[in-house]
Amino acid sequence: MITRRNLLKALGGGILVLALSPESIPAAMAQRGGGQAISQQISAWIHISETGAITVFTGKVEVGQNARTSIAQAAAEELRVAPSAITVVMGDTDLTPFDMGTFGSLTTPRMLPQIRKAAAAAREALLDIAAEKSGKSRNALEARDGKVFGSTQPMTYAELAKGQSLDKTISADIALTPPEKWTVMGKSIAKVDAAEFVTGKHLY
């Protein structure tokens, strides 16, 4: 059996860099988390209140790498709203779903796709609700700017969320917005809570 001590003895001094293939990361995360699975329920990641407030939840924490901003952009892109409409709750274990915490620079490669999928699934659920309420064809409806258009009267996310639950499973093949159609992601925007970081008010 190769122990860490024996490996370091064999390699000598210096820095050892190991790489995991992208395919192996989910399994490694589950193993480190005692086999606990990453939730695939929309409601674990996204909440839209009856006032239209949109909250995104993640166990990741902001330590100055701008993760709060990129996560807000990811959710905004798929929900068809401005990043300023998104409130990101990070690292609050009473509220956020299990996602192994912050390590290994995995927030961007692992968390952004998860948030995008959850937001896209939430958008599609809102479109389903709008189609049912309006009696219009699902394909005739379009989500943008926090509303669903295509019926006689645009319906806000707040109206659609009222009395509804987004406690649905995120489809494995949920369609994400392709990069060539991005209007929010990939753009330079003001950093969320920038003043707090600059002035030292941010709580780590």
Side-chain angles (χ1 to χ4, degrees), residues 34-52:
Q36 186 173 350
I38 304 298
S39 176
Q40 294 305 317
Q41 297 300 114
I42 299 174
S43 58
W45 308 96
I46 305 283
H47 181 259
I48 301 175
S49 76
E50 293 185 358
T51 65

Side-chain angles (χ1 to χ4, degrees), residues 24-149:
S24 69
I25 290 175
M29 290 176 71
Q31 184 178 24
R32 291 185 62 174
Q36 186 173 350
I38 304 298
S39 176
Q40 294 305 317
Q41 297 300 114
I42 299 174
S43 58
W45 308 96
I46 305 283
H47 181 259
I48 301 175
S49 76
E50 293 185 358
T51 65
I54 302 172
T55 307
V56 174
F57 300 94
T58 173
K60 306 304 182 192
V61 295
E62 170 69 86
V63 291
Q65 77 276 41
N66 222 20
R68 191 183 300 273
T69 304
S70 58
I71 288 173
Q73 285 182 279
E77 185 67 65
E78 299 301 339
L79 282 168
R80 309 290 190 257
V81 298
S84 58
I86 306 291
T87 297
V88 181
V89 173
M90 306 182 76
D92 185 336
T93 53
D94 284 335
L95 301 173
T96 60
F98 168 80
D99 65 9
M100 278 305 301
T102 307
F103 69 98
S105 297
L106 293 178
T107 297
T108 297
R110 302 305 304 177
M111 189 44 49
L112 260 63
Q114 181 66 35
I115 295 298
R116 289 184 65 199
K117 289 177 182 178
R123 181 193 69 231
E124 294 304 301
L126 290 169
L127 285 168
D128 288 340
I129 295 169
E132 183 177 350
K133 283 180 174 291
S134 67
K136 296 288 185 179
S137 167
R138 175 69 167 63
N139 294 331
L141 302 177
E142 178 188 7
R144 69 175 188 274
D145 301 326
K147 299 177 182 178
V148 172
F149 296 85

